[in-house]
Amino acid sequence: MFPVITRIEDVLPAIEGRDDFIHVVKDGYQVIDYVFESTDSFDDPIRRECRGLKFDLDGNLIARPLHKFFNYGQKLITYDWSAPHQIMTKLDGSMVHTALINGQLRLCTRMGITDQALEAEKYLSPFDIETLANCCLDDTTLIFEFTSPDNRIVIEYDEPKLTILAARNMKSGAYYSQESLVEWCKFSGFSLV
């Protein structure tokens, strides 16, 4: 269903010569992200994944956040509403996800270690850091919504919180089932959207 990605070379040909995507080398990692959306930006399955992909400096995939999805009616997509599906609460914060950068667990936004990601990291306990690092070592990217009184977008929140949105296998892109996330949250102590 999703393209297999293991190295940066799996992605670079799909964005070559395109102004709507960027490849940025940072301290210890690389980011591939989109900067604006053209009519054909996400017509390619690889480009649909270019929403904050992270690679180490050797080109190995280290994080695979949410693929590009569209608002209802944004694209001419047919949905099978009779198929099993879930509707989740839309939280109003910043998406952050896990990555091991230079051997250390980090939270990143689409563009990497940003002010929002650094703020979210402040709320991780040593147990959280170990648990999340182990998930990264298992080729899993955990994706959270970070909400906080100091990170207000529109809705005001009373306390800072990291809420699990999804988890993905880094290489295959497969999303973990809702049932497996419920079980993982029981162990980890994180809340699920």
Side-chain angles (χ1 to χ4, degrees), residues 5-8 11 22-24 26 28-33 49-66 95-101 106-114 117 141 170-171:
I5 298 172
T6 59
R7 297 201 33 86
I8 200 164
V11 177
I22 57 172
H23 170 212
V24 180
K26 298 197 171 196
Y29 64 103
Q30 304 176 66
V31 178
I32 295 184
D33 197 9
E49 295 293 330
C50 297
R51 192 172 182 260
L53 287 174
K54 309 291 182 305
F55 299 87
D56 65 18
L57 295 180
D58 292 327
N60 300 302
L61 183 67
I62 59 171
R64 190 170 184 167
L66 299 173
M95 180 195 72
V96 296
H97 64 272
T98 56
L100 283 180
I101 298 174
R106 301 305 306 258
L107 293 181
C108 299
T109 62
R110 281 181 25 206
M111 277 309 297
I113 302 169
T114 61
T141 301
M170 275 189 243
K171 293 180 172 88

Side-chain angles (χ1 to χ4, degrees), residues 140-163:
T140 299
T141 301
L142 286 154
I143 305 151
F144 298 87
E145 190 80 359
F146 173 58
T147 53
S148 166
D150 298 328
N151 188 43
R152 183 175 179 178
I153 311 299
V154 176
I155 297 172
E156 188 173 349
Y157 290 91
D158 295 332
E159 61 183 8
K161 188 171 185 180
L162 283 162
T163 304

Side-chain angles (χ1 to χ4, degrees), residues 12-133:
L12 290 176
I15 65 166
E16 186 175 355
R18 297 193 65 101
D19 295 333
D20 42 351
F21 293 88
I22 57 172
H23 170 212
V24 180
V25 179
K26 298 197 171 196
D27 184 21
Y29 64 103
Q30 304 176 66
V31 178
I32 295 184
D33 197 9
Y34 73 97
V35 288
F36 64 88
E37 187 176 341
S38 296
T39 49
D40 70 337
S41 293
F42 301 107
D43 291 351
D44 179 283
I46 293 284
R47 288 197 304 265
R48 218 168 291 128
E49 295 293 330
C50 297
R51 192 172 182 260
L53 287 174
K54 309 291 182 305
F55 299 87
D56 65 18
L57 295 180
D58 292 327
N60 300 302
L61 183 67
I62 59 171
R64 190 170 184 167
L66 299 173
H67 71 288
K68 177 62 178 165
F69 53 89
F70 303 98
N71 295 321
Y72 184 74
Q74 184 178 355
K75 289 266 191 188
L76 295 176
I77 298 172
T78 304
Y79 298 96
D80 179 6
W81 295 109
S82 66
H85 61 278
Q86 291 186 319
I87 298 174
M88 296 181 233
T89 302
K90 167 69 173 97
L91 299 176
D92 187 39
S94 299
M95 180 195 72
V96 296
H97 64 272
T98 56
L100 283 180
I101 298 174
N102 296 323
Q104 182 181 2
L105 184 278
R106 301 305 306 258
L107 293 181
C108 299
T109 62
R110 281 181 25 206
M111 277 309 297
I113 302 169
T114 61
D115 289 343
Q116 290 91 351
L118 290 169
E119 186 64 24
E121 284 182 353
K122 292 179 184 177
Y123 301 101
L124 295 176
S125 71
F127 173 79
D128 296 338
I129 292 167
E130 180 181 357
T131 302
L132 298 176

